Amino acid sequence: MGSGNALTVVAKNFDVFAGPLVALVYPLYASIKAIETKSRTDDQQWLTYWVLYSLITLFELTFAKVLEWFPIWPYVKLIATCWLVLPQFNGAAYVYGNFVRPFYQNPQTANIWYIPRKKNIFRKPDDVLSVAEKYIEENGTEAFEKLITKANRESRARRSNYMVFEDDYTY
């Protein structure tokens, strides 16, 4: 009976035992091993894993109260972590290459807004024309035209979803 109870406890808490081993202990060992080799491939694999692990941890911290409602979450996380960690699947490289990297390398999303950097705080503030000229210098006229087209499309979409009521106007 005693061993049956122990097996039940282990089975019910499998994620608690396996999670840290899969998510931390093995990646830590493999990362140290990768640092000691001259191969860039394993360095990239484990650096990519740690970036994704950080994102998962931030996700969990942010949505902890919501995740409490899903009792299957620890098991989903364990399976996903196994997929990211195990070199047979190469999941970390796949997720990074197809989701994280394009997000950071897409210049359309990264350089939409120009924020002027003031060298002299007593200088005249940038007006719309100087900001537009600066954007064109940095990104080219085609990028500027795409930006204007996108802004016009979004403006039309907002206007079509906006209803005007008499209360909106003061007479």
Side-chain angles (χ1 to χ4, degrees):
M1 272 218 185
S3 64
N5 288 339
L7 276 170
T8 305
V9 170
V10 169
K12 286 186 178 181
N13 296 303
F14 181 72
D15 63 303
V16 176
F17 298 122
L21 290 174
V22 171
L24 296 170
V25 176
Y26 175 70
L28 178 63
Y29 168 75
S31 297
I32 292 170
K33 196 171 152 185
I35 290 170
E36 297 301 322
T37 66
K38 294 187 183 204
S39 171
R40 290 190 53 183
T41 306
D42 56 1
D43 293 348
Q44 185 177 10
Q45 160 69 23
W46 292 110
L47 187 56
T48 302
Y49 169 76
W50 289 113
V51 167
L52 294 174
Y53 179 78
S54 299
L55 290 173
I56 292 169
T57 303
L58 288 172
F59 174 80
E60 277 189 309
L61 291 172
T62 304
F63 297 105
K65 294 292 182 188
V66 175
L67 292 173
E68 288 176 2
W69 287 85
F70 299 100
I72 197 166
W73 168 249
Y75 300 103
V76 170
K77 180 184 172 189
L78 180 62
I79 291 168
T81 304
C82 286
W83 183 71
L84 292 173
V85 167
L86 294 174
Q88 294 86 348
F89 299 116
N90 207 14
Y94 177 81
V95 170
Y96 184 81
N98 290 299
F99 299 103
V100 179
R101 190 168 192 237
F103 177 77
Y104 286 106
Q105 287 194 332
N106 187 350
Q108 291 297 322
T109 57
N111 293 329
I112 287 179
W113 304 110
Y114 167 70
I115 300 172
R117 295 190 181 143
K118 305 275 186 204
K119 292 180 184 160
N120 182 355
I121 61 170
F122 299 109
R123 192 180 87 190
K124 182 181 113 183
D126 290 334
D127 61 351
V128 174
L129 272 173
S130 62
V131 171
E133 288 171 354
K134 182 77 172 177
Y135 185 88
I136 290 170
E137 286 175 13
E138 291 178 359
N139 302 300
T141 55
E142 289 181 20
F144 184 70
E145 289 172 2
K146 286 180 184 177
L147 182 66
I148 296 297
T149 304
K150 182 178 178 184
N152 286 339
R153 243 182 313 172
E154 289 175 359
S155 175
R156 273 182 264 151
R158 277 194 300 269
R159 272 185 283 172
S160 66
N161 293 334
Y162 180 73
M163 298 185 75
V164 178
F165 295 102
E166 286 185 31
D167 295 343
D168 289 344
Y169 297 104
T170 55
Y171 297 102

